Amino acid sequence: MAETHLEVYRRFEGTLHEHRLRAWPIWTTGLRTALKQRRALLLLYLPPVIATVIFSFVVYLGFMASEQLERESPFEGLGEGDIQERLASGVVMGVVSGGLKMLEVTRQIIEFNKAMGFFALLAVAWFGSGLFCEDRKAGAHQLYFARPITRLDYFLGKFGVAAFFGLCAMLVPPLVICLVASISSPEWAFLKEEWDVIPRAIALAFLWTTVVTLLVLLASSLAARRSFALIGVFGFFMLSGAMSQALGHLVSRRFFALSLGDDLNTLGSQILGRSDAGLPVSPGEAWVAVSVFVAFALVVIAARLRRLEVVA
Amino acid sequence: MSAVLVAEQLGRYYGQVVGLNDLTTEIAGGVVGLVGPNGAGKSTLLRLIAGEIRPSRGSVRVLGHEPFANRELFRVLGFCPQQDALYEDMTGFDIVRLLLRLGGFAPAEAKARAERALERLSLTARMHDKVRTYSKGMRQRVRIAQAIAHDPRLLVLDEPMTGLDPLGRREVLELLRELGSSGTHVLFSSHILYEVEHLTAEIVLIHRGRLLAKGALPEVRALLSKHPRRVELSARRPRELARALIEWPEVVSVRVQPGAGAEEHLALETRDVGAFYRRLTGLAARERFGISSLCSADASLEAVFDYLVT
Amino acid sequence: MSEPIIVLEGLEKRYGSIRALEGLSLALPPGPIGLLGPNGAGKSTLIKLLLGQLEPSGGKARIAGFDPTRRAERLALRRKVGYMPESDCLIPRMNGVELVTALGQLTGLTPSDAITRAHEVLDYVGLEEARYRGLDEYSTGMKQRLKLAQALVHDPELLLLDEPTNGLDPKGRKHMLELVHDLGHAQGKSILLCSHLLPDVERTCERIVVLDKGKIRSAGSIEELTRNEESWVHTEIDGDVAAFRAALGSAGLQFEPEGAWTQRVRLRAGDYDGLFELAARAGAALTELTSERSSLEEVFLDALEDGVEKDAAEKDAAETVAAKTNAEQR
């Protein structure tokens, strides 16, 4: 049967679904556009990837070596073959394995995890600093807030985008290394003896990412341009660090808690189960300071987003 | 009387990009509307006339002056640019006064003229507020005010009605009409063709940097003889009338078009519009078709624009 | 008559002491409606209230049957409404299809529906290859078409179009108006069109609402508002004008010369044929004959003027009352 379809506009016959998670489409589309920045991805993630690979390798080697050492005494079979060569490889293995008793592996994973925090900050700052201010500059908020979403959904979607990049840098490397350590440790010894490193690392990754993402979004909601937001984020770290140093030394040790970096450091050590006496901020103060910061950031962001929807 | 504007092989290029290409024309004066699509070169032409940019080739003379960087010309020419660039922290009054002072007026004179110009644009009430607090329409009016404050002989305006609400548009149209009838030459560009038509029949149409048409609208239309003229009419008995009309040699085509409700209109094309109207008048008088409206559908600037800009 | 698409009952909005909207009451039937008013009349405020972006200070509004002040209904309402903002707006780092698709998904289309609809509406607005290009390369005309496309992606019942022809050249403007007209007439959408260009409204809308200083000054169908009770026609003559005018005079018809060739004539009982007879007898040809209607511009300006007078009268009345009470107190 012949048909013609000359209608210029076809109605939509399907139904509009209400997403249970209304922030989901904001998150997925936001992520997709962010992932277009290939060069930035490469630059930001190449160092953590390299570090992870090297470190996994070191962990692997360490377990291999200690296993071998246990199996054969280094001086067994001396006299057969080249003594010098034997000695040399024994020394290498000794050096590698010397620092890699089980506890040492854990300690290094913890240090590594904390070091990754810096990369997470860089990634979140890069991908998160434009989320609000570029939307405002381009007028995207007018399009978003004509859609069935609330300001909370908008915030959650954007938060998810920025946090994703933080977690990529903060969560994936320790998990990879723990995996390597579990597999290469003799008879899953790592998993049996040090399993609690994994939940601790996850908890730290979430805490760190949340706080850093909030800081970046706070800057983005206040700044007129992305570059200003970037400056704001790093400026905040530096200024708060300098102020805490000055006031901490001159007035009271309590002021050390002003430095967000030191607070997070303290919390990181506590979460990872290592009380470090060398840190300037006590865990209690750090928790208070970080909570106050989070609350402050949420209030300010809420106010700025309200302005974005209502005043425009 | 010598022409207000003489352009000879006038061209302006931005690198390889053409702004205006080989324009040769003379504009006698009066109120003239400059029309053309986006990117046609309207702003380039107006900026060349105002002396803001230097021609890449050819020459332009405005009121007998070479416009580029010519201080003499500034005394007789007022320019209202399209760019929304004003000093945000100055008041509207200060901007107009400052520009008058820079134009060489004594302080008292500048103050009086600034007040008068702002009053003509109904800005008196807000003229001492900072520009940053102004709406789009008020900023536009400040730009126009600074262009007319020194009573120029030629006023050049680039899209002067942009951003204005209906009241503002009407005021500016009235102002331009007034200036035109008091002997100021006005050259303005606009996208809103019926406003141009409302103000003047004299048009300059450019497209892709070239001059497409210049002159009084009916004359321009008459030159486009290869396009048959369209006439629309409504009558009590449209189909009967259509049967009669299609027999005439001057009628090229007749179409019956649905109107509001059950009503029908006729749209026809004719090669000789004069003969057609004479014959129609006779027929309507004899046969009493009840023709209740009759108008030419394409003498308008919009129709001319459509024919020329493809 | 069908259910009204927009109902306002004493809708008010105050910002501190400033009253942006003062008790608007109105019921608008489906179909294309023009919202007119000078700058600062409260049009933007009204649109924000209709979208539920602002909370009213008083009164009620129902759009497509939903109350924008309640969260669940506000979200449902935004599925029924498409909004085309006035100013430039785009989502950074997206191309045309991505933008429309993303916003479609936000409105509740599944990802596959969203991409289908995005191409459908982009075809409709005539955005061809440009849809794959980055938005920073778009011309004004393309941006306007994209803005319309994103408002249409979820096939809403009501479109809020804020100055859709802004910045367009004559061709672009004509195309945009054709789209708006088609949406309002052939596609049966309800439209609230804000425009400073009254002929745009006249061409695309059936009704208008005139807003000024936060009050409704006039509302009704354009047809009725511009109807002129007196039957004056506008005529243009080719040939012997003097003879034609003399013939009008001797036939006892009232007329006023306008230009060299044009005159207004007062007709008796719609006797158009008589006019042609007079012209034929005078040896002239009628080249134009149009019924005179008051233009939308006149209607608009009259509405504003009436409003100003009414305000002044109310103020006087209020002052008189105040003076009286003062006097009584003394």
Side-chain angles (χ1 to χ4, degrees):
Chain A
M1 216 167 81
E3 293 178 66
T4 59
H5 292 280
L6 304 175
E7 58 274 48
V8 285
Y9 179 83
R10 280 180 292 179
R11 302 217 52 164
F12 174 61
E13 302 293 347
T15 45
L16 297 172
H17 305 273
E18 187 173 357
H19 244 287
R20 232 168 290 137
L21 254 177
R22 285 184 302 260
W24 179 261
I26 303 181
W27 186 66
T28 52
T29 52
L31 215 50
R32 204 173 304 142
T33 43
L35 289 173
K36 280 184 183 172
Q37 305 175 52
R38 296 277 154 75
R39 194 176 302 166
L41 281 174
L42 193 73
L43 284 175
L44 285 169
Y45 286 103
L46 201 58
V49 167
I50 293 173
T52 310
V53 169
I54 292 176
F55 199 71
S56 312
F57 200 63
V58 168
V59 169
Y60 171 78
L61 271 187
F63 279 118
M64 284 294 124
S66 58
E67 207 176 337
Q68 215 171 352
L69 281 175
E70 269 163 33
R71 221 183 294 134
E72 43 179 292
S73 149
F75 302 106
E76 207 175 283
L78 194 111
E80 297 169 29
D82 191 354
I83 297 173
Q84 286 215 321
E85 192 185 305
R86 274 282 174 173
L87 263 178
S89 68
V91 168
V92 169
M93 296 222 168
V95 168
V96 173
S97 60
L100 271 170
K101 300 202 181 73
M102 201 64 78
L103 271 174
E104 282 308 300
V105 174
T106 311
R107 196 185 68 82
Q108 292 205 3
I109 289 177
I110 286 166
E111 285 310 312
F112 178 73
N113 204 358
K114 283 163 103 179
M116 282 293 127
F118 176 67
F119 291 109
L121 172 64
L122 279 186
V124 172
W126 180 266
F127 288 104
S129 55
L131 288 177
F132 292 145
C133 58
E134 285 189 343
D135 268 8
R136 182 173 50 227
K137 214 173 127 204
H141 57 284
Q142 300 186 62
L143 300 176
Y144 280 121
F145 291 120
R147 305 283 158 183
I149 56 164
T150 60
R151 290 191 288 271
L152 179 64
D153 301 326
Y154 177 72
F155 168 74
L156 288 178
K158 296 287 184 179
F159 181 87
V161 173
F164 172 82
F165 290 100
L167 286 180
C168 278
M170 196 65 190
L171 190 58
V172 177
L175 288 183
V176 167
I177 287 163
C178 287
L179 188 71
V180 169
S182 315
I183 293 171
S184 55
S185 63
E187 291 164 5
W188 306 92
F190 177 80
L191 213 52
K192 282 179 198 157
E193 293 169 26
E194 297 289 334
W195 61 272
D196 62 314
V197 170
I198 298 174
R200 285 169 191 270
I202 294 177
L204 173 63
F206 274 93
L207 174 77
W208 176 266
T209 307
T210 305
V211 174
V212 164
T213 305
L214 279 178
L215 172 64
V216 170
L217 290 182
L218 172 68
S220 187
S221 73
L222 291 170
R225 261 191 250 155
R226 175 155 175 261
S227 46
F228 296 166
L230 275 174
I231 294 170
V233 169
F234 292 103
F236 179 82
F237 264 100
M238 282 189 237
L239 270 182
S240 69
M243 260 177 54
S244 80
Q245 283 295 318
L247 293 172
H249 284 298
L250 294 175
V251 186
S252 151
R253 283 188 58 81
R254 296 200 149 194
F255 282 102
F256 281 126
L258 279 178
S259 162
L260 195 60
D262 286 340
D263 294 336
L264 286 172
N265 217 358
T266 303
L267 294 184
S269 297
Q270 200 203 11
I271 288 174
L272 292 170
R274 284 167 38 92
S275 41
D276 201 328
L279 291 174
V281 189
S282 75
E285 286 165 2
W287 278 116
V288 171
V290 168
S291 312
V292 167
F293 170 77
V294 167
F296 169 75
L298 287 174
V299 167
V300 173
I301 291 174
R304 294 294 294 178
L305 290 189
R306 191 183 144 74
R307 230 179 117 80
L308 206 57
E309 175 172 2
V310 172
V311 181
Chain B
M1 195 185 104
S2 67
V4 166
L5 174 84
V6 183
E8 259 169 51
Q9 298 187 311
L10 183 63
R12 167 74 199 195
Y13 308 90
Y14 302 94
Q16 295 285 306
V17 181
V18 58
L20 198 66
N21 203 10
D22 199 17
L23 183 100
T24 301
T25 193
E26 271 191 34
I27 293 174
V31 180
V32 180
L34 177 63
V35 295
N38 278 335
K42 301 189 297 290
S43 292
T44 304
L45 177 58
L46 295 181
R47 294 180 65 198
L48 282 166
I49 292 169
E52 285 209 335
I53 49 176
R54 190 200 289 272
S56 306
R57 69 183 294 252
S59 71
V60 57
R61 292 187 80 77
V62 179
L63 299 164
H65 300 278
E66 289 273 353
F68 184 68
N70 184 339
R71 287 191 59 87
E72 285 303 302
L73 183 68
F74 289 155
R75 297 182 199 287
V76 288
L77 179 135
F79 181 49
C80 168
Q82 192 181 5
Q83 282 79 20
D84 184 21
L86 293 169
Y87 302 105
E88 299 288 324
D89 279 323
M90 287 176 72
T91 68
F93 173 74
D94 284 340
I95 287 180
V96 178
R97 192 179 53 177
L98 175 72
L99 289 170
L100 284 168
R101 290 283 291 131
L102 291 176
F105 286 97
E109 173 84 5
K111 180 168 179 286
R113 279 178 177 267
E115 276 166 0
R116 186 143 34 95
L118 288 161
E119 196 189 331
R120 288 187 87 166
L121 287 143
S122 336
L123 269 174
T124 308
R126 294 284 309 273
M127 70 183 184
H128 291 300
D129 293 345
K130 284 196 175 153
V131 167
R132 70 168 70 254
T133 66
Y134 286 6
S135 69
K136 228 160 108 188
M138 293 170 70
R139 301 165 73 97
Q140 183 66 33
R141 281 188 274 171
V142 173
R143 281 202 291 281
I144 299 174
Q146 61 79 24
I148 63 166
H150 57 300
D151 292 321
R153 284 180 55 207
L154 170 64
L155 184 60
V156 177
L157 309 111
D158 200 354
E159 300 271 351
M161 256 83 78
T162 322
L164 297 180
D165 65 19
L167 297 175
R169 306 184 91 87
R170 201 181 152 95
E171 267 177 43
V172 171
L173 277 176
E174 285 305 317
L175 175 72
L176 295 185
R177 196 199 307 280
E178 227 176 273
L179 287 168
S181 58
S182 68
T184 309
H185 303 296
V186 179
L187 176 61
F188 70 104
S189 71
S190 175
H191 277 321
I192 312 303
L193 300 180
Y194 61 80
E195 283 180 350
V196 176
E197 218 175 339
H198 201 59
L199 193 57
T200 178
E202 290 291 325
I203 56 142
V204 173
L205 202 174
I206 59 176
H207 183 31
R208 299 203 182 100
R210 293 176 42 196
L211 180 70
L212 279 189
K214 190 204 82 172
L217 190 58
E219 289 162 29
V220 171
R221 180 63 190 85
L223 290 177
L224 300 172
S225 52
K226 73 175 195 296
H227 296 283
R229 288 287 289 266
R230 281 196 312 232
V231 176
E232 285 180 3
L233 49 83
S234 33
R236 224 175 11 248
R237 306 187 327 251
R239 281 165 188 271
E240 231 174 285
L241 179 60
R243 265 197 294 282
L245 294 180
I246 197 69
E247 301 288 327
W248 297 359
E250 42 291 63
V251 173
V252 182
S253 72
V254 181
R255 271 195 311 147
V256 182
Q257 289 181 326
E263 217 179 297
E264 283 174 324
H265 300 294
L266 295 186
L268 56 90
E269 289 182 313
T270 167
R271 262 189 290 269
D272 183 348
V273 70
F276 170 77
Y277 281 135
R278 274 192 297 282
R279 219 166 150 175
L280 181 73
T281 305
L283 179 78
R286 271 196 318 279
E287 306 285 339
R288 308 190 70 86
F289 281 110
I291 297 174
S292 57
S293 88
L294 169 69
C295 62
S296 167
D298 61 0
S300 70
L301 180 53
E302 193 167 337
V304 169
F305 190 94
D306 274 351
Y307 283 142
L308 290 173
V309 179
T310 43
Chain C
M1 208 153 110
S2 41
E3 281 286 291
I5 185 98
I6 298 175
V7 183
L8 311 179
E9 283 169 28
L11 190 69
E12 268 190 25
K13 181 68 196 174
R14 287 185 299 270
Y15 298 103
S17 62
I18 300 164
R19 303 175 76 178
L21 292 179
E22 300 184 27
L24 305 190
S25 291
L26 194 64
L28 293 172
I33 300 156
L35 178 59
L36 308 178
N39 287 333
K43 288 177 293 176
S44 312
T45 305
L46 180 58
I47 285 186
K48 283 185 176 302
L49 284 167
L50 295 183
L51 279 169
Q53 294 177 343
L54 275 180
E55 294 269 319
S57 317
K60 269 192 265 178
R62 284 189 94 75
I63 299 96
F66 295 108
D67 177 357
T69 56
R70 303 159 74 142
R71 207 192 61 147
E73 293 195 37
R74 181 164 69 229
L75 297 184
L77 144 77
R78 289 187 188 173
R79 268 180 223 114
K80 299 263 186 196
V81 179
Y83 172 47
M84 175 175 175
E86 178 188 358
S87 53
D88 263 3
C89 49
L90 34 91
I91 302 180
R93 291 176 225 283
M94 281 194 183
N95 66 29
V97 193
E98 284 172 334
L99 182 138
V100 180
T101 311
L103 291 170
Q105 282 188 43
L106 267 187
T107 321
L109 295 167
T110 61
S112 71
D113 276 348
I115 188 94
T116 314
R117 280 296 297 172
H119 284 289
E120 171 78 33
V121 292
L122 287 166
D123 288 340
Y124 177 67
V125 301
L127 209 57
E128 308 294 342
E129 294 307 312
R131 69 183 71 172
Y132 303 110
R133 271 192 254 152
L135 298 179
D136 39 352
E137 291 175 38
Y138 276 37
S139 67
T140 317
M142 292 176 185
K143 279 185 197 155
Q144 293 288 41
R145 278 186 263 176
L146 182 71
K147 269 159 49 180
L148 180 61
Q150 64 80 27
L152 273 174
V153 64
H154 52 297
D155 197 25
E157 276 177 33
L158 171 66
L159 286 164
L160 305 177
L161 308 179
D162 202 349
E163 299 280 350
T165 56
N166 225 0
L168 296 179
D169 67 10
K171 285 240 140 124
R173 203 171 128 245
K174 200 171 159 194
H175 181 233
M176 180 58 71
L177 291 179
E178 278 165 9
L179 288 176
V180 175
H181 185 269
D182 183 67
L183 286 168
H185 293 83
Q187 313 304 342
K189 301 274 179 227
S190 292
I191 294 176
L192 197 63
L193 173 78
C194 294
S195 181
H196 284 332
L197 301 172
L198 301 176
D200 284 6
V201 172
E202 207 159 7
R203 223 189 268 191
T204 52
C205 295
E206 278 162 12
R207 312 177 68 85
I208 55 161
V209 174
V210 179
L211 204 62
D212 185 30
K213 302 198 176 85
K215 290 181 186 161
I216 291 172
R217 302 304 195 186
S218 170
S221 85
I222 295 180
E223 176 86 42
E224 279 166 28
L225 289 172
T226 56
R227 184 181 296 152
N228 233 338
E229 292 307 323
E230 288 180 305
S231 172
W232 283 90
V233 292
H234 173 84
T235 59
E236 190 186 63
I237 287 295
D238 183 18
D240 194 343
V241 181
F244 177 66
R245 286 179 182 165
L248 286 177
S250 56
L253 287 172
Q254 194 185 338
F255 72 97
E256 290 168 13
E258 285 182 311
W261 309 97
T262 51
Q263 48 272 310
R264 307 169 67 207
V265 182
R266 185 167 186 173
L267 274 195
R268 273 189 299 247
D271 182 19
Y272 297 102
D273 295 319
L275 215 52
F276 280 96
E277 265 169 42
L278 288 176
R281 229 181 288 153
L286 261 180
T287 59
E288 192 175 323
L289 170 64
T290 44
S291 301
E292 198 165 87
R293 303 166 63 118
S294 45
S295 71
L296 195 54
E297 187 171 353
E298 282 168 41
V299 172
F300 174 74
L301 294 172
D302 286 349
L304 294 192
E305 259 169 43
D306 289 353
V308 170
E309 279 165 22
K310 218 195 249 171
D311 282 357
E314 272 170 25
K315 204 176 154 203
D316 281 351
E319 272 166 11
T320 329
V321 172
K324 257 189 199 159
T325 41
N326 266 349
E328 276 164 21
Q329 274 166 4
R330 265 187 225 134

